[in-house]
Coordinates of all heavy atoms in Angstrom, one line a residue:
P51 N 9.8 -24.3 28.2 CA 11.1 -24.5 27.4 C 10.9 -23.7 26.0 O 9.8 -23.5 25.6 CB 11.1 -26.0 27.1 CG 9.7 -26.5 27.4 CD 9.1 -25.5 28.4
A52 N 12.0 -23.3 25.5 CA 12.0 -22.6 24.2 C 12.5 -23.6 23.1 O 13.2 -24.6 23.5 CB 12.8 -21.4 24.2
V53 N 12.2 -23.3 21.9 CA 12.7 -24.1 20.8 C 14.3 -24.1 20.9 O 14.9 -23.0 21.0 CB 12.2 -23.6 19.4 CG1 12.9 -24.3 18.2 CG2 10.8 -23.7 19.4
G54 N 14.8 -25.3 20.8 CA 16.3 -25.4 20.9 C 16.8 -25.8 22.2 O 18.0 -26.2 22.4
D55 N 16.0 -25.7 23.3 CA 16.4 -26.0 24.7 C 16.7 -27.5 24.7 O 16.0 -28.3 24.2 CB 15.4 -25.6 25.7 CG 15.4 -24.2 26.1 OD1 16.3 -23.5 25.5 OD2 14.5 -23.7 26.8
E56 N 17.7 -27.9 25.5 CA 18.0 -29.2 25.8 C 17.2 -29.6 27.1 O 17.2 -28.9 28.1 CB 19.4 -29.5 26.0 CG 20.3 -29.3 24.8 CD 21.8 -29.4 25.0 OE1 22.2 -29.5 26.2 OE2 22.5 -29.5 24.1
V57 N 16.4 -30.6 27.0 CA 15.4 -31.0 28.1 C 15.5 -32.5 28.4 O 16.1 -33.3 27.6 CB 14.0 -30.6 27.7 CG1 13.8 -29.1 27.6 CG2 13.6 -31.4 26.4
T58 N 15.0 -32.9 29.5 CA 14.8 -34.3 29.9 C 13.4 -34.5 30.2 O 12.6 -33.6 30.6 CB 15.7 -34.6 31.1 OG1 15.2 -33.8 32.3 CG2 17.2 -34.3 30.9
W59 N 12.9 -35.7 30.2 CA 11.6 -36.1 30.6 C 11.6 -37.6 31.0 O 12.5 -38.3 30.7 CB 10.6 -35.8 29.5 CG 10.8 -36.7 28.2 CD1 10.2 -37.8 27.9 CD2 11.6 -36.3 27.1 NE1 10.6 -38.2 26.7 CE2 11.5 -37.3 26.2 CE3 12.5 -35.2 26.9 CZ2 12.2 -37.3 24.9 CZ3 13.2 -35.2 25.7 CH2 13.1 -36.2 24.7
R60 N 10.6 -38.0 31.8 CA 10.5 -39.3 32.2 C 9.8 -40.1 31.1 O 8.8 -39.8 30.6 CB 9.7 -39.5 33.5 CG 10.2 -38.7 34.7 CD 11.5 -39.3 35.2 NE 11.1 -40.7 35.7 CZ 12.0 -41.6 36.1 NH1 13.3 -41.3 36.0 NH2 11.6 -42.8 36.5
S61 N 10.4 -41.3 30.8 CA 9.7 -42.2 29.8 C 10.0 -43.6 30.1 O 11.1 -44.1 30.2 CB 10.4 -41.8 28.4 OG 10.0 -42.7 27.4
H62 N 8.9 -44.4 30.4 CA 8.9 -45.8 30.7 C 9.9 -46.1 31.8 O 10.8 -47.0 31.7 CB 9.3 -46.6 29.5 CG 8.3 -46.3 28.3 ND1 7.1 -46.8 28.3 CD2 8.5 -45.6 27.2 CE1 6.4 -46.4 27.3 NE2 7.3 -45.7 26.5
G63 N 9.8 -45.4 32.9 CA 10.6 -45.7 34.1 C 12.1 -45.2 34.1 O 12.9 -45.4 35.0
S64 N 12.5 -44.5 33.0 CA 13.9 -44.0 33.0 C 13.8 -42.5 32.5 O 12.7 -42.0 32.1 CB 14.7 -44.7 32.0 OG 14.3 -44.7 30.7
T65 N 14.9 -41.8 32.4 CA 14.9 -40.4 32.0 C 15.4 -40.3 30.6 O 16.5 -40.9 30.2 CB 15.8 -39.6 32.9 OG1 15.3 -39.7 34.2 CG2 15.8 -38.1 32.5
A66 N 14.7 -39.7 29.7 CA 15.0 -39.4 28.3 C 15.6 -38.0 28.2 O 15.2 -37.1 28.9 CB 13.9 -39.7 27.4
E67 N 16.5 -37.8 27.2 CA 17.0 -36.5 26.9 C 16.8 -36.2 25.5 O 16.8 -37.1 24.6 CB 18.5 -36.5 27.2 CG 18.9 -36.8 28.6 CD 20.4 -36.8 28.9 OE1 21.2 -36.9 27.9 OE2 20.7 -36.7 30.1
G68 N 16.7 -34.9 25.2 CA 16.6 -34.5 23.8 C 16.4 -33.0 23.7 O 16.8 -32.3 24.7
R69 N 16.0 -32.6 22.5 CA 16.0 -31.1 22.2 C 14.6 -30.7 21.8 O 13.9 -31.4 21.0 CB 17.0 -30.8 21.1 CG 17.2 -29.3 20.8 CD 18.3 -29.1 19.9 NE 19.6 -29.6 20.3 CZ 20.5 -28.8 21.0 NH1 20.2 -27.6 21.3 NH2 21.7 -29.4 21.3

Side-chain angles (χ1 to χ4, degrees):
V53 174
D55 281 354
E56 294 178 347
V57 294
T58 63
W59 64 94
R60 298 289 298 169
S61 177
H62 303 287
S64 63
T65 302
E67 298 180 345
R69 188 176 297 272

